[in-house]
Amino acid sequence: MFRKAIGAALVLGVTGAVAMTGCSGGSAQSGSSASSSNGNAGGPITIVVNDPSNPYWLTEGNVAKAEAEKLGYQATVAASKGDVNTESTIIDTAIANHSAGIILDPANADGSIGNIKRAMNAKIPVFLVNAEINQTGVALGQLVSNNAQGAAIGAQQWIKAAGTKGDYAELFGLPSDNNAATRSNGYKTVISQYPDWKQVAKQTANWDRALGQQKMQSILQANPNINAVISGNDEMALGAIAALKQAGKTNVIVGGFDGSPDAVSAVKDGSLAYTVLQPVATFAKKAVDELDQYIKNGTKPSQEKQSFDCILITKANVDKMTAPFTYSG
């Protein structure tokens, strides 16, 4: 599924941290393979995001980097572009450079496990953000949005905006990311309560705006009378909106997920019915804080898996979005 990595990993600059949103506690803990901190407080920290062209991942890297530097580390942000081979190269570089720790948005729920184990075996503590892996006891922490809760409140708002019957399409995220299935299942749980809704298409668009637009164009060719679209993230939703506008179908209801700046603007102008804000600024900062505590004194988080509640953003509260991924409610 993944393309072979070509060239070095992309290293990003920091534009500054954003404010934090609220959070809630997570699920049960399992043990970690690391036995102690490496004691390299103030050393280099490697932060690995997916693709910084997406404002969500850009914010994730910026916040983590700013927090690490505030705590006295030398932080570097690299991008895997969702490729396990690229991620592997970044991890190997972090090991060779004796990184004090790694903050990782894993490229693949299964494929990233070996990369994480390699770093942990080298006594480099790893904390995961945004996406889980399909194994516990490998990384010290997995800090993610409460995707099931976010999908439920999003789908409920979608029903409120679109009504209780019609034909709809779903845009699905990256299959290797567990978040895609969690959100899709959450949507299905809510929408299935309304039997007069018929899903006429479900297309994978890999979290990408351009691909979302292409998939929506294909969906419209086969289903010109579609009533609504529900999307696994904002980028795909915004791509769908572009295709719908081109087709002159501005009455089709579209719902998103992430709370990106462009989605917030689309909620304001009415082209997007809602978005679901992921508290990426909160858990990116917290992951660095927990890594710092582990490096300095060997303290592990009380729970490996930590889940942070999402916030529904509609026209009623969109003005409380005061900065990228920042809700001041």
Side-chain angles (χ1 to χ4, degrees):
M1 175 178 292
F2 293 100
R3 294 173 294 187
K4 188 174 181 180
I6 300 174
L10 175 63
V11 178
L12 310 176
V14 63
T15 61
V18 299
M20 304 300 114
T21 60
C23 65
S24 67
S27 58
Q29 176 192 12
S30 62
S32 169
S33 60
S35 59
S36 65
S37 65
N38 65 11
N40 195 13
I45 282 181
T46 300
I47 300 160
V48 188
V49 301
N50 188 312
D51 183 355
S53 66
N54 183 312
Y56 178 86
W57 285 310
L58 177 64
T59 297
E60 179 181 80
N62 285 346
V63 169
K65 187 174 192 292
E67 182 67 6
E69 290 177 342
K70 186 180 81 172
L71 294 170
Y73 297 91
Q74 296 87 52
T76 299
V77 184
S80 70
K81 296 294 186 72
D83 185 273
V84 173
N85 294 324
T86 301
E87 180 185 83
S88 179
T89 299
I90 297 169
I91 296 296
D92 286 342
T93 300
I95 294 171
N97 291 341
H98 304 289
S99 281
I102 296 171
I103 301 293
L104 174 67
D105 191 335
N108 186 288
D110 292 308
S112 294
I113 293 172
N115 293 334
I116 298 163
K117 286 182 176 179
R118 197 161 67 256
M120 293 286 286
N121 288 337
K123 303 301 181 184
I124 298 176
V126 180
F127 282 79
L128 308 184
V129 291
N130 179 58
E132 296 178 329
I133 55 172
N134 290 330
Q135 192 168 331
T136 57
V138 178
L140 289 165
Q142 301 189 51
L143 291 76
V144 301
S145 297
N146 188 342
N147 284 278
Q149 171 261 349
I153 61 175
Q156 289 161 6
Q157 183 63 27
W158 186 86
I159 292 292
K160 184 176 180 179
T164 58
K165 63 180 180 179
D167 292 345
Y168 80 99
E170 179 183 348
L171 291 177
F172 188 87
L174 191 68
S176 62
D177 186 340
N178 285 346
N179 292 340
T182 300
R183 293 174 199 170
S184 183
N185 291 337
Y187 296 159
K188 182 179 179 181
T189 297
V190 174
I191 298 172
S192 64
Q193 299 175 39
Y194 302 89
D196 290 332
W197 272 113
K198 178 183 178 183
Q199 186 181 86
V200 295
K202 181 178 180 179
Q203 294 287 331
T204 298
N206 296 344
W207 307 130
D208 184 73
R209 188 183 304 199
L211 189 55
Q213 183 173 354
Q214 293 171 17
K215 295 291 187 177
M216 192 69 237
Q217 289 169 339
S218 298
I219 291 170
L220 283 172
Q221 289 176 2
N223 305 279
N225 296 318
I226 196 167
N227 302 107
V229 178
I230 195 163
S231 176
N233 81 336
D234 286 338
E235 288 297 292
M236 296 186 299
L238 293 167
I241 289 170
L244 289 163
K245 285 182 177 178
Q246 288 176 348
K249 295 185 178 296
T250 56
N251 62 331
V252 175
I253 298 298
V254 181
F257 198 113
D258 274 350
S260 73
D262 284 352
V264 168
S265 296
V267 170
K268 287 181 178 179
D269 70 28
S271 56
L272 186 66
Y274 67 88
T275 184
V276 175
L277 173 65
Q278 294 197 74
V280 60
T282 298
F283 59 69
K285 177 182 181 296
K286 186 171 177 60
V288 175
D289 292 341
E290 291 184 356
L291 173 61
D292 176 59
Q293 287 300 307
Y294 182 78
I295 290 169
K296 288 178 177 175
N297 54 38
T299 303
K300 298 178 183 179
S302 59
Q303 294 177 317
E304 176 184 339
K305 288 197 172 185
Q306 302 169 51
S307 180
F308 296 75
D309 280 351
C310 301
I311 301 172
L312 180 68
I313 304 299
T314 68
K315 273 197 170 183
N317 66 346
V318 69
D319 289 338
K320 294 182 179 180
M321 294 293 295
T322 55
F325 299 94
T326 305
Y327 183 82
S328 301

